[in-house]
Amino acid sequence: MRALTALRMGVRSITRTQTPVTPHRAASASASAGGGGGGGSGGGATSAPTKSQSQNLAAIRDEFSQQADWFEADWGARSKTSNADIMQWAVGSITAAIERAGVGASGGVASTFLQEARALDVACGTGVMTRALAPLTKSVTGLDATQGMLERARAVEAEAEHGSASTGREGARPEYICGDAIALPFADGEFNLVTSRLAVHHFPDPLLIVQEMARVCAPGGFVVLVDLVSDEDPVAAAEHNRLEILRDPTHTRALTATELGNLLTSAGCLGAELEIVPPAVDSSSSDGALHNVMDLDGWMQATNTPDEAQRDIVRSFDNELGGGPSTGMAAHRDADGQYCFVHRYVTVVARRVGPE
């Protein structure tokens, strides 16, 4: 069994009683043919999948296969914050957590740990996180269920390699694998750093996938979740998730920051110790989260949201702007009068402790 020591960036301290769990093991090679989808989406099925799991995975593959060619390139049409800036924040949060954990030959040098780390990025999509880890780690593998996304990731990597001579690009060359996030095709403890970016809100049963992430993480290594979170108020969170699903049916549920932290600690065993690390002093906001302003029109266009669903979403925004119920998304208009909202991202880092 594994225990995880939580190192949270922007997550409130929570103590909870845990029940023991047995991490899922891949039963066969064929079991690794599904799993984490899209731009950090994920699904997958066990050897006896439920209808909802298999339907979700099929929807993920269909949706993100359509988005593969332009998913990353068109990010700027819907997000006010660039992928580069988001990854700088995420990697900075991870590095700060590792530093606070006291990892490194010289008593807390994160770079020492990362330079020797074997990293795995689960539900990697087009490889945004995978590529961000490459210059920092000894090796990095990106795993996703959608072949179209992986093809795009490889194409972006080839373009980067072509320009590496002039740009001075260094670091590990990412390897991309099509695989099942719920039955990772790797041995126990094969990696030192296991990440998943903007994927949890696509997982039908995120605990199963996080248990797998913990299984393949070596003792002393780290499991990292970077994800969209909903409001701690259950009414606002419910409306937020309803609107997300209207826009993208592969969305299952954005957890709260509290739930995202609990998800990692629940993937350990009975008696897992929580070691809270204070947010970095240069956090993007008082809660340690990244608040990313999104353009509503570009966001809906990215998934070809049906007209009726678009009208429902806009109606909810108008209600909030008129003083009505919250969308849970901080609906507002920008200086040009365009509808905008806020996606709040949180990075949660846990250190795996326990038997070798």
Side-chain angles (χ1 to χ4, degrees):
M1 302 297 291
R2 279 85 176 169
L4 294 176
T5 300
L7 308 169
R8 302 190 189 160
M9 302 298 298
V11 181
R12 296 184 310 200
S13 172
I14 302 147
T15 301
R16 60 176 286 170
T17 301
Q18 299 171 339
T19 55
V21 295
T22 302
H24 177 78
R25 299 299 201 276
S28 66
S30 62
S32 66
S41 63
T46 62
S47 56
T50 65
K51 184 177 181 181
S52 62
Q53 287 173 330
S54 59
Q55 286 180 331
N56 180 267
L57 178 56
I60 282 171
R61 283 176 166 158
D62 178 64
E63 177 63 36
F64 287 98
S65 291
Q66 295 179 53
Q67 295 186 31
D69 287 342
W70 49 263
F71 180 85
E72 190 175 335
D74 285 3
W75 178 255
R78 57 190 185 275
S79 172
K80 304 292 187 179
T81 308
S82 69
N83 263 325
D85 287 342
I86 293 171
M87 292 317 304
Q88 182 178 20
W89 163 79
V91 171
S93 297
I94 295 167
T95 303
I98 294 173
E99 195 76 32
R100 286 174 172 79
V103 172
S106 301
V109 181
S111 60
T112 302
F113 172 84
L114 291 171
Q115 286 169 7
E116 296 301 318
R118 303 176 306 280
L120 171 67
D121 185 25
V122 177
C124 67
T126 58
V128 176
M129 173 72 95
T130 319
R131 292 195 304 276
L133 293 175
L136 307 175
T137 57
K138 184 175 183 179
S139 67
V140 59
T141 300
L143 178 139
D144 201 274
T146 307
Q147 284 285 8
M149 284 288 193
L150 292 172
E151 289 170 7
R152 184 59 193 153
R154 294 183 184 108
V156 173
E157 176 59 26
E159 293 167 6
E161 284 193 345
H162 181 71
S164 62
S166 58
T167 62
R169 178 180 178 271
E170 297 179 353
R173 176 180 178 178
E175 178 183 8
Y176 292 103
I177 295 175
C178 188
D180 189 344
I182 211 168
L184 295 172
F186 305 109
D188 293 4
E190 189 166 337
F191 300 94
N192 311 102
L193 178 65
V194 185
T195 68
S196 189
R197 165 193 171 270
L198 299 185
V200 170
H201 61 274
H202 289 287
F203 296 157
D205 190 339
L207 180 58
L208 296 179
I209 293 172
V210 176
Q211 286 174 344
E212 272 293 89
M213 293 172 67
R215 177 183 68 80
V216 302
C217 183
F222 296 86
V223 177
V224 179
L225 300 178
V226 180
D227 206 55
L228 164 70
V229 294
S230 60
D231 199 285
E232 296 287 342
D233 176 71
V235 175
E239 179 64 2
H240 176 190
N241 280 298
R242 185 184 76 85
L243 299 178
E244 293 277 359
I245 292 169
L246 280 172
R247 181 256 182 184
D248 178 6
T250 71
H251 178 100
T252 55
R253 189 167 79 91
L255 303 179
T256 66
T258 297
E259 290 172 324
L260 197 64
N262 285 343
L263 180 62
L264 274 179
T265 60
S266 295
C269 68
L270 186 65
E273 178 187 357
L274 298 182
E275 182 180 310
I276 307 302
V277 175
V281 295
D282 60 346
S283 293
S284 346
S285 67
S286 59
D287 60 2
L290 177 72
H291 291 211
N292 183 25
V293 177
M294 304 285 288
D295 178 85
L296 179 63
D297 190 48
W299 181 66
M300 293 190 296
Q301 287 182 11
T303 55
N304 293 314
T305 306
D307 290 345
E308 183 177 350
Q310 289 193 42
R311 287 191 291 271
D312 193 342
I313 293 169
V314 170
R315 184 162 51 247
S316 184
F317 272 53
D318 283 337
N319 287 341
E320 179 174 10
L321 292 171
S326 172
T327 60
M329 303 168 75
H332 62 280
R333 290 182 181 270
D334 64 13
D336 296 323
Q338 300 299 309
Y339 288 105
C340 293
F341 63 94
V342 175
H343 266 169
R344 194 159 62 94
Y345 304 144
V346 167
T347 298
V348 186
V349 181
R351 187 178 185 189
R352 193 198 131 179
V353 296
E356 294 291 335

